[in-house]
Each structure stands twice: as structure tokens, then as C-alpha cells.
Amino acid sequence: MNGRSLGVLAVACMAQLLVVLDISVVNVALPHIASALDIADRDVQWVASGYTVAFAAALLTGARAADSWGIRRVFLFGTSLFIAASVAGGVAPTGSMLVAARVGQGLAAAIVSPATFTLLTVTYPEGPIRTRAVAVWTAISVAGGGVGNIVGGALTEYLTWRSVLLINLPIGLVVLTAALRYLPTHRREAQSPRTSLDPIGAVSGAALLGASTVAVTAFGAAGSRPLSLSMTLVASAGLIGFLIRQHRSTAPLIPLRLFADRTVVAGNLLTLLTGAVFQIPIWLFLTYQMQQLLQRSPLQAAVGFLPLTTALVVIGVAVTPRLMRRYPPHLVAAAGAAVAAVGLLALAVASDSSSYLVAVALPSILIGTGGGLLNTPLATAVTSGVARRDAGAASGLMNTCKQFGGAIGLAVLTATAGLTNFRLAYCAMATAMALTAGCCVAFLRERRTGY
């Protein structure tokens, strides 16, 4: 890698960390936010959900925007919008204004996140160099939930909950400065073929994804069944409109040619299944376990994520790319899913223990090891062989599967296990990982491009 390509990787990873960190960064601060802004318990969840719903709803549109208007332009716009929304949330005087700002953050994140991955696929050719870059990006993406809890716990305990959002201002400015220096110019981007952005497809796709996310999020909440039902109807209408538009449009959000590749399809379905464990649920259930069962403070609980976060990053960056050069990627992914399943079963068995080492730390190392082995091969599978003109769409599809999988996983787990039946929740996650391991062997064919 030369200096410019390393700069692109740094920009992509910093921006992606900023985006995924804000998914979980408010979790620990929610009780303080509810008290400070006088938000009812039944409504405070939307401070967190407003971000994830908007993120999921706009991902496909945000990803296709990079193909239509250029990565640099879209990235700079999305990052600027994210910073502005973060500041608005940090100074919000009311709960409704805070939720609106979180929705704005989510919309901006849907623009930035797929652009970060697209940067990697258009900067690095397929092979070992791209694999290493994707490994770093993936490790940061997956570990962001843990980092968000740690940062949120520390800032809330030592400063104020507002600093959880306002800290995005200095970090975002650093990202913008680096992006202006390292991202390809419009002249270089103009060498690539452009596609138009279909507004009707964008609206129907956003209705489908946004309403679906609200529906599954509200399904397990007390008194929210009418909302879940109405959003299901909206999502159904969005699905019909989206499919019709995909068939008729000359510039569909998801080019149908992507679905001609079995590996792309299988990789995205497995990404959805993996997201149902790693994207939101594992972080939230461990948070409740450490604070309620082990009686740890918010900051202590945040620090308690270090074994999981460290294992995810170290294995994902230092080990997985080397294994992918020696063994078929689908077998590396299957091994990772199997190890994660063992770690989740260990969590289930030890969930009643009062010892942090036994109940959380040791199983978390196994889960982090498995996640570190699993996610890079999946991310590589869904983008290998994809034409440059479809790089944004492929990235958006992967991110959509990941975010939507997290929402589905959390909704199903909270509806069946609540937030305190840790054993049932961890057993369900272990089952999902075991299924992932089997499907990796059965459906992810080996790429011959070299790793």
C-alpha cells in the first residue's frame, strides 16, 4: 500500500467507526437522557431506535448515491450532515428534538457507511491487499458496538450525556480534513461510468426498510402491537412498489445482475443472519447482564466489553487475512461461526454465575475470536467480482442486511426472552451461529481471485 491508499483506508475506517459507534453510544446514557429531558420510559427507546430506523431506511439510497454522484462528493456531504445532526442532538432542549437529531444522524450514516466500504472496493484490487483493507474495516465495524458502550459510559459518568453526541464534532472535522486530502478527486471519479438515482425506487425502498425496521422493533415492546401492524402494512406496500420499480426502472437501486451471483446472494443472507447476533443483540444483552446480574456501574460494564472488542479487532486484523491466504475463505468463515457458537453456549451455561471472568470475559474471547474470523470472509464474498459501477449498490446491500439483521435479531430475542432471560437469548444466538457455519460450507463457493 502507498501513502494515498493508506490514507483512504484511514479515512474509511475513521468514518465507519464514527457511524457504528453512534449506534450504541447512547445506550448507557439513556437513563440520564430520560431524566434530563423528562422523557417517558416508553418513549426513551426512540433515542436509540430513531438512529437505527433512519439508518436502515436510507442505506440502499445512500449507497446508490455514491455510484450516481461520486464517492468523494457523497462522502463529504454525508459526513458534514452527520456532524451537524450530532451537534443538534448534543444541544437539544427537548426529547422530540433529540429524537429528530438522531434521525438526522441515521440518515447521514446511511450515506457515509456504504461510501466507506465502496472506497475500499474501488481503491484496492481484488486479492491480498483488498483482503487486508477489508479486514481492518470489518474489525472496526463489528467492534464499534463495544467501543460505543465504552465511550458512552466514560463520557456519561465523567462529563455529561451531551458530550456523547458533541464529541462527534472534533472527530468529524478530523475525518473531513483527511477526506479532502486523500479521497479521489472528481476528475478521477469521472473516469468511471455513472448511474442515475431513481427517486421513486428510493422512496419505496426507504418505506420498505424503514417501516420493516419499526415493525420488528415495536413488535416486542409492550403496547406497540398496533404500531407494529400498521408499519407491516406500510412495509408491504413499500415492498410491492419497490419490486415493481426495480423491474421497470433503468437505474434500479439494486441491479438485478447482482442476484445472478450465488455467492453474493448467499453472502448477504449470511450477513443478515450474522447481524442478528453481532450488530446489536450481543452488546445489549451483555450490557444488561453486567449491570443487572453482576451489579456493575455503567463505566465498569462498558470496560467489561474489552475482551470481546479486543478479540474481534486482533483476530480480524492480524489473523484472518493470513488464514484466508492459506485456506478457502468459506471454511475460515464457517470455523469462525462455529467458534462464536461455542462462546455463546458458554455464555448461556455460565449466565447465572456471579463471576465476571466466568460469566462474561472468557466466553467473550471465544465470541470475539469467532466474529473476527467470520466477518471478513463474508464482506469479501459479497463484493468480489462486482463491477465498479455497482460497487456502491453492493456495499449498500451488505450494510442493509447487517443493519436489518440486527433489528430483526433484537426484536425476536426481546419478544421471546425479554432482556433478562440471558440463557434463552444466548442459546438462540448460538443456534444462529451454528446455522451460519453450516450455510458457509454449503453455499459460499471459493473465489479463485487469490487472497
Side-chain angles (χ1 to χ4, degrees), residues 19-265:
V19 166
V20 297
L21 184 146
D22 268 71
I23 295 174
S24 61
V25 75
V26 299
N27 287 348
V28 177
L30 284 179
H32 298 268
I33 293 173
S35 176
L37 299 183
D38 194 26
I39 305 176
D41 290 342
R42 67 178 182 276
D43 297 326
V44 73
Q45 65 165 323
W46 292 107
V47 175
S49 299
Y51 183 95
T52 56
V53 169
F55 194 177
L59 261 171
L60 289 178
T61 302
R64 206 54 172 162
D67 293 331
S68 301
W69 298 320
I71 302 173
R72 178 187 172 98
R73 183 182 302 171
V74 167
F75 182 91
L76 293 174
F77 170 76
T79 304
S80 300
L81 179 60
F82 190 88
I83 295 171
S86 299
V87 173
V91 300
T94 66
S96 59
M97 291 184 67
L98 176 58
V99 172
R102 290 286 288 170
V103 170
Q105 278 188 300
L107 293 175
I111 298 172
V112 174
S113 183
T116 63
F117 194 76
T118 304
L119 278 171
L120 303 185
T121 61
V122 300
T123 301
Y124 302 99
E126 289 187 31
I129 296 180
R130 181 189 287 187
T131 299
R132 285 196 294 271
V134 169
V136 175
W137 183 92
T138 303
I140 288 176
S141 299
V142 177
V147 175
N149 281 312
I150 294 170
V151 171
L155 291 176
T156 301
E157 187 155 325
Y158 291 112
L159 293 176
T160 169
W161 68 264
R162 294 185 182 277
S163 63
V164 169
L165 297 173
L166 292 176
I167 196 174
N168 290 332
L169 175 59
I171 298 175
L173 291 176
V174 171
V175 173
L176 280 178
T177 302
L180 288 169
R181 178 176 180 180
Y182 290 111
L183 263 57
T185 63
H186 296 300
R187 187 176 293 108
R188 286 181 62 191
E189 287 186 343
Q191 297 173 1
S192 302
R194 295 288 179 82
T195 60
S196 59
L197 185 63
D198 178 17
I200 299 177
V203 171
S204 59
L208 165 62
L209 294 171
S212 297
T213 306
V214 173
V216 296
T217 301
F219 180 76
S224 296
R225 295 297 174 86
L227 174 62
S228 180
L229 178 60
S230 61
M231 287 297 100
T232 300
L233 295 176
V234 172
S236 300
L239 174 61
I240 295 172
F242 183 74
L243 292 177
I244 292 175
R245 194 60 187 175
Q246 283 288 109
H247 180 70
R248 295 180 177 178
S249 176
T250 57
L253 285 182
I254 307 177
L256 297 180
R257 53 185 169 269
L258 288 179
F259 297 104
D261 191 318
R262 187 189 71 171
T263 303
V264 171
V265 174

